[in-house]
Amino acid sequence: MNWIILIVAGMFEVVFASCLGKVKETEGAEMYYWFGGFLLSMVISLGLLMKAIQTLPIGTAYAVWTGIGAVGTVLVGIIVFKDPANFWRLFFICTLIGSVIGLKYVSH
């Protein structure tokens, strides 16, 4: 169950990073709405991470959490923010995904 909580926490990390991207692109009241989304999703993400590390090793949980966040944020950047998607960027995203999966399998 805590692996599911950790995955959801990682997804909220993607949300808070994406909200920061939108803060950069907007101004006025809309910027503050995105910033509010950033704060809310950050609190949720860290709260879920805190719950997950009660039974998972902190090093593994943190690495998986940041891995999910990094991969998700890069994909959102490519899809939403039109960041470049070259071979090496996608290659290293794949190696990161493999590392996150590997950490899950070697953890108790």
Side-chain angles (χ1 to χ4, degrees):
M1 179 63 176
N2 279 329
W3 281 105
I4 294 169
I5 291 171
L6 184 61
I7 290 168
V8 173
M11 290 178 184
F12 273 100
E13 185 184 3
V14 174
V15 172
F16 80 70
S18 300
C19 285
L20 276 180
K22 293 302 277 185
V23 165
K24 183 178 86 171
E25 292 181 348
T26 57
E27 44 186 60
E30 186 180 0
M31 178 187 71
Y32 291 108
Y33 293 136
W34 284 110
F35 186 71
F38 159 75
L39 290 175
L40 179 63
S41 57
M42 183 172 64
V43 167
I44 293 169
S45 180
L46 291 172
L48 291 172
L49 175 63
M50 187 172 57
K51 174 72 175 147
I53 64 169
Q54 290 176 350
T55 59
L56 299 174
I58 182 71
T60 300
Y62 185 76
V64 170
W65 178 73
T66 56
I68 292 168
V71 169
T73 303
V74 168
L75 293 176
V76 167
I78 290 169
I79 295 166
V80 175
F81 297 107
K82 307 300 182 220
D83 291 347
N86 60 40
F87 170 79
W88 288 111
R89 195 166 201 194
L90 297 175
F91 172 78
F92 286 115
I93 289 172
C94 290
T95 61
L96 185 56
I97 292 168
S99 297
V100 167
I101 292 169
L103 279 172
K104 186 204 181 302
Y105 282 115
V106 300
S107 297
H108 304 200

